[in-house]
Amino acid sequence: MDKTRRIRRMAALMAAMAVVVTAFVASPAVAMDMKWGDDLTTIAPGSEADGDAAPDSEEATATEQNPAEEEAAVTEPTAAEQAATEQAPSEEASTSEEDTAPGEGDASEEGTPSTDEPSVQVEAVPDGAAPAADAAEPDVGVQAVEAGSITVDFNLKRVTLSNGAVTGATHGTVSNAFPTNIDGSATNVFSVKGNLGDASAHLELTVVYKVAMAIPNAPDEDYWVKIHVYTSGFHYFRTCDVTTGDPRAGGVQIAPTPFTCFARTPGSESSMLNQTVTVSIDLNRWAEASGTVQTERSVSLDDGKYLFLLPFAQPGATTVPQSSQTTFATVWREPDRPIVGAAAKVSFTYRILDNGKPTRYWVVGWVNKPRSATSGGKCMIIDQDPWGDNAPVWDDLPNDSTAPYACADHGTSPDSDTLDVTFTVSTRDVTVIPASQRPLQAQLIKSVCEVDMKLCDLRLANAEKAQGAERPISSYINNRTDKPMALKFETKSSQSTTTSFGTEVTVGVEGGIGAHFKLEVKATYGWDIENTTETSEGFDYEIPPNRQGWVVGSPPMIHASGDIYVNQNNRLYLLQGVSATFADKSGQWIKEGVDGPLAPRLGEDPVVEIPSTSLNPVAAPISASGSARQASLATTGVATEQLVWSAMLAIALLGGGALLFVPTHRRRRKS
């Protein structure tokens, strides 16, 4: 009985331990700590048919806590226990029977299922891991090696690449057709191929190129791009840096840069093992201004000069032949700063030639493009050297509306930060009015020039200095004595401007036509002239006995002739053969004392003499050139005293019939 009780007690204890172990193994914390392949065997508790209570039942607990009851139960075995004891032939047979008792033995022997639970193999599987049936997959710590490639395309905008070379560490095979120079856009320029997937199998390629602006006459700058493509595992990476100086020789990355460089991959790939990288390079600019200067008709250009406000400057040619053109440009790139203002601006000037002959005209123009702001181009014709000492700011120069040349401008903007302007310099259509149509010339002068003198301009053909017409400038004095008479004459006279149209043209116009002649004489010959010259001073002269004496004078003058351009309603007329005579501001009057026959007293007959031409102070000019001009010029100067002349009559003397000649004497002096 004691042995039987011990066997039963041991069976109950083992059942309780089996329950504890099963609960422990089922815990998630324990399952996560278990390794693949760990074996755990669970022992099923005895069934209720055997009379064994589960360790967690009230019966088991009561038996454990009350030994007296347990002893009573053992002392009084049940009928089944007694039958089992009686059937056992021996003690050993009884023990073996208990190990194989119903509910504890091999079920195959009794032909009924065993009440014991079979042994179970338990594997701890982390959350999200594949089930045990998928354990045939490779270990997650080992990556597969696959063949792949990186192909490089280029998208170049207004830049070119040269001096291309592979540098640094290279993993994989580089395509044989590696180009050293690239222009524009191209696909599949070069590639690198090989295995990738782990640290020992990856792709890598680094190339360098010298980058320059694709603009005519662009400067040779030391800027480079460094392109790096590589893989890590099955991931692709790419970079593009702009450097100053060759990266292989210590060139450094700069920011901001005059160029932009971006390396990108498409949004989707047909195969993740074969990637395409597109490298895009462009100018990194704020604004850009460019232009074309072209000639038409008989116009050509010479002595061209350009002004730039930015480091990048592409000037046009210094000469532009007939029916030709030249281009210029400037770019405001990111690192650059204008000398003044905040715009990309180019200004230019050219001397205008007509059929190869220099003219007095210049063309001035500019293109101005601020960043993201209103831009403009402008050109004009001027009649002064824009590079002279007294030249005004070009922006303030007015266009010469009466010039026989014109400049037209037409601008286009390919984008919001670019302006390109074409300037066309040509001759204007001109209607010629010759000197033979003087009334028509006078009508244009009156209707246009007297209203706005800016619409009229003079083109001088020639100018020369000469003494004006001689005229009496003092009173007349009779010396009726037999001795010479020394007197101090008071002289006074003036001479004003004259033109082909008379003096009235210079009255109603501000400055008048004469003023424009004056400016032309000053600009062309450097002579100072004025509207009026006058003299007022004493003159010492000795009158011979029995003679009349007076003083004559000749003013200093400048005679100019040329053509006048008149702009009427934007139509240009050329008035030919217009002339004017002005007082020479730097010249001197030439004065002379002259004498002649006495003026008769009241009631007396005059003494008649036939004077030589040189005695006529009005009709006899000082110079031959002055005499030749009197037929075409109107003289408005007058003497302050009325001129008294002896009658020039031929009188036959009684008794002799001879003609009497009385000589006239002169005494010269300049004042």
Side-chain angles (χ1 to χ4, degrees), residues 144-151 171-174 191-197 201-204 230-231 233-236 271-276:
V145 175
E146 299 286 349
S149 66
I150 304 176
T151 301
H171 292 269
T173 302
V174 181
S191 63
V192 58
K193 300 179 181 180
N195 294 329
L196 65 153
H202 70 281
L203 301 178
E204 184 173 11
Y230 61 99
T231 65
F234 290 102
H235 298 284
Y236 288 76
S271 172
M272 66 173 294
L273 298 177
N274 299 291
Q275 291 282 343
T276 298

Side-chain angles (χ1 to χ4, degrees), residues 47 49-50 97-98 100-105 110 115:
S47 63
D50 295 334
E97 192 175 32
E98 289 180 358
T100 58
E104 297 180 4
E110 297 293 332
T115 57

Side-chain angles (χ1 to χ4, degrees), residues 463-487:
E464 59 180 348
K465 288 188 174 186
Q467 292 300 126
E470 190 178 81
R471 80 287 308 276
I473 60 173
S474 71
S475 301
Y476 296 87
I477 305 295
N478 287 325
N479 180 10
R480 297 183 180 277
T481 68
D482 295 331
K483 296 180 180 180
M485 180 184 295
L487 294 176

Side-chain angles (χ1 to χ4, degrees), residues 140-316:
V140 295
V142 179
Q143 291 181 331
V145 175
E146 299 286 349
S149 66
I150 304 176
T151 301
V152 180
D153 298 345
F154 280 89
N155 181 20
L156 306 182
K157 294 183 179 179
R158 306 187 65 198
V159 300
T160 60
L161 301 180
S162 62
N163 302 89
V166 177
T167 184
T170 300
H171 292 269
T173 302
V174 181
S175 57
N176 294 329
F178 180 81
T180 57
N181 300 306
I182 304 176
D183 297 315
S185 299
T187 59
N188 196 17
V189 178
F190 57 82
S191 63
V192 58
K193 300 179 181 180
N195 294 329
L196 65 153
D198 59 17
S200 62
H202 70 281
L203 301 178
E204 184 173 11
L205 176 63
T206 304
V207 298
V208 294
Y209 280 97
K210 187 176 183 180
V211 58
M213 289 184 288
I215 298 177
N217 304 317
D220 183 14
E221 300 175 307
D222 196 20
Y223 291 112
W224 293 72
V225 291
K226 180 181 178 182
I227 304 165
H228 185 203
V229 294
Y230 61 99
T231 65
S232 177
F234 290 102
H235 298 284
Y236 288 76
F237 301 90
R238 67 277 178 197
T239 62
C240 184
D241 299 324
V242 179
T243 66
T244 175
D246 189 339
R248 297 168 297 177
V252 295
Q253 186 176 352
I254 56 174
T257 69
F259 301 94
T260 59
C261 186
F262 299 99
R264 297 184 175 94
T265 55
S268 62
E269 290 287 345
S270 59
S271 172
M272 66 173 294
L273 298 177
N274 299 291
Q275 291 282 343
T276 298
V277 176
T278 300
V279 178
S280 300
I281 305 176
D282 196 357
L283 296 178
N284 188 17
R285 62 181 174 84
W286 292 97
E288 182 175 351
S290 60
T292 301
V293 179
Q294 61 185 22
T295 57
E296 291 183 350
R297 297 184 177 181
S298 60
V299 169
S300 58
L301 303 176
D302 193 15
D303 196 21
K305 298 177 183 177
Y306 286 80
L307 283 180
F308 293 90
L309 304 179
L310 292 162
F312 173 68
Q314 178 202 323

Side-chain angles (χ1 to χ4, degrees), residues 592-615:
E592 293 183 88
V594 296
D595 60 85
L598 293 171
R601 290 191 176 95
L602 187 62
E604 292 183 347
D605 294 329
V607 177
V608 179
E609 53 181 45
I610 307 298
S612 64
T613 25
S614 63
L615 297 181

